[in-house]
């Protein structure tokens, strides 16, 4: 049986634990909210993906100017964490990309990360195109899901890992 992650054992550093991060929002020095985000790598770019309302929500007046994310810096000692601060505006323009589909805006935003600004030795296992479903017919009602994240600010405060909850598909896509 492999040792738990962070205890020097042979457990793989996987996307479910190292592909997600806690996102803290700030207006100046004032902390505002916490949320979940995940890393996604495509065509050589590394992105942080989160809900758009985490970065800007007009109805509630939520308008942070920066976010902070925690990044593990030692794969064998998960208590080691560095913080990356990311400005949300450059020359008055938002730096994130917003998602749209045929129905209009989607509550998803992606920020491209500057790898040169990331902490030395950071441990990131991003999701990528290989993790995307080819078709929604691959999923049936009742299929099990694992959902890693930081719900309501909860997380492993020692190793800075997300909470992983289990769920199941409740209905067919489009219904």
């Amino acid at each position: 049986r492999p040792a738990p992650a962070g205890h020097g054992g042979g457990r793989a550093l996987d996307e479910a634990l190292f592909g997600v991060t806690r996102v803290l929002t700030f207006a100046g020095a004032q902390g505002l909210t916490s949320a979940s985000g995940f890393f996604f790598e495509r065509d050589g770019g590394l992105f942080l993906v989160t809900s758009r309302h985490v970065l800007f929500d007009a109805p509630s007046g939520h308008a942070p100017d920066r976010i902070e994310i925690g990044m593990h810096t030692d794969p064998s000692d998960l208590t080691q964490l560095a913080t990356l601060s990311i400005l949300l505006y450059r020359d008055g323009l938002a730096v994130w990309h917003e998602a749209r589909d045929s129905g209009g805006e989607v509550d998803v935003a992606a920020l491209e990360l500057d790898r040169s600004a990331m902490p030395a030795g950071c441990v990131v296992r991003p999701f990528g195109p290989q993790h995307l479903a080819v078709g929604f017919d691959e999923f049936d009602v009742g299929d099990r899901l694992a959902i890693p994240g930081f719900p309501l600010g909860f997380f492993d405060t020692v190793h800075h890992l997300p909470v992983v909850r289990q769920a199941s598909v409740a209905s067919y896509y489009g219904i």
Side-chain angles (χ1 to χ4, degrees):
R1 178 175 166 180
H7 289 80
R11 192 136 205 215
L13 300 177
D14 66 9
E15 295 85 0
L17 296 179
F18 297 96
V20 296
T21 189
R22 187 169 172 229
V23 179
L24 301 175
T25 64
F26 294 86
Q30 181 181 358
L32 301 175
T33 60
S34 69
S36 300
F38 66 91
F39 299 106
F40 193 86
E41 188 171 37
R42 182 178 187 142
D43 299 329
L46 181 63
F47 299 87
L48 173 69
V49 181
T50 190
S51 298
R52 187 190 59 80
H53 72 264
V54 171
L55 306 180
F56 179 77
D57 185 52
S60 69
H62 178 68
D65 56 15
R66 71 182 174 90
I67 61 170
E68 289 183 358
I69 59 174
M71 304 187 82
H72 289 93
T73 56
D74 184 337
S76 61
D77 181 0
L78 300 182
T79 64
Q80 300 302 307
L81 195 76
T83 300
L84 178 62
S85 182
I86 304 165
L87 295 175
L88 296 177
Y89 296 90
R90 186 177 303 120
D91 300 325
L93 299 174
V95 298
W96 67 85
H97 304 280
E98 296 183 17
R100 297 183 60 84
D101 68 8
S102 61
E105 291 184 1
V106 178
D107 189 24
V108 175
L111 292 98
E112 187 162 9
L113 300 177
D114 177 359
R115 290 179 194 262
S116 68
M118 295 173 70
C122 66
V123 179
V124 176
R125 297 295 182 265
F127 292 91
Q130 72 274 18
H131 295 100
L132 299 176
V134 175
F136 289 104
D137 59 344
E138 296 178 12
F139 304 100
D140 287 320
V141 171
D143 283 355
R144 294 177 59 182
L145 305 168
I147 305 169
F150 300 85
L152 304 173
F154 291 109
F155 64 101
D156 171 358
T157 58
V158 175
H159 297 108
H160 310 282
L161 294 172
V163 172
V164 180
R165 293 188 171 180
Q166 290 201 3
S168 62
V169 175
S171 63
Y172 289 105
Y173 180 75
I175 298 177

